[in-house]
Amino acid sequence: MVTVQVQGYGEVQARAGERLVLALERGGVDILHRCGGVARCTTCRVSFQEGEPGAMTAAEFDKLQEKGLLGEARLSCQIECAGGMSLTPLQTARSSGLEPGKAPAEQIEPDPVWTTRPGASTEG
C-alpha cells in the first residue's frame, strides 16, 4: 500500500499501480469524472505538489494538449498510484454541481501507450 496526500481530504491509502481516480473515490474524495475514465474529458484533473509521475499515457497527453492544460494538470484516470504523491483535486462533484459519469474500469483505458510527460527528467 502507498499513501497519497490529497489537499482538503488528508491521506488516501492506495495499492501501488491502482488507478488514481479509483483510489481517490474509494478514499472519500468526490473527484469528478464524466467520460468513464477513458481520457475523453478533463473533469478528473488534479495538480501535483509532489510525486508527479514522469510517465504519461499518449491519451492523456493528447487530451491535455487539446484542452490547453498540458503542464497545468494531470488526468487522474490515466495515472497509477505511487508513494510520495501529494496532489489537489481540481474538480469535484461538490464544487461543480455535476454528477460523476460511468465508473472507470480497474485498468487504465484505452490501453496505455506510455510516453514521458513534458518537463519530466528522463535520467535515472
Side-chain angles (χ1 to χ4, degrees), residues 20 24 31 44-48 73-74 76 79 87-90:
L20 180 57
L24 292 173
I31 189 76
C44 71
R45 63 187 180 264
V46 298
S47 66
F48 279 87
R74 297 290 304 267
S76 64
I79 295 172
L87 57 91
T88 302
L90 298 178

Side-chain angles (χ1 to χ4, degrees), residues 81-97:
C81 291
M85 290 181 163
S86 178
L87 57 91
T88 302
L90 298 178
Q91 282 195 289
T92 62
R94 182 179 33 215
S95 70
S96 68

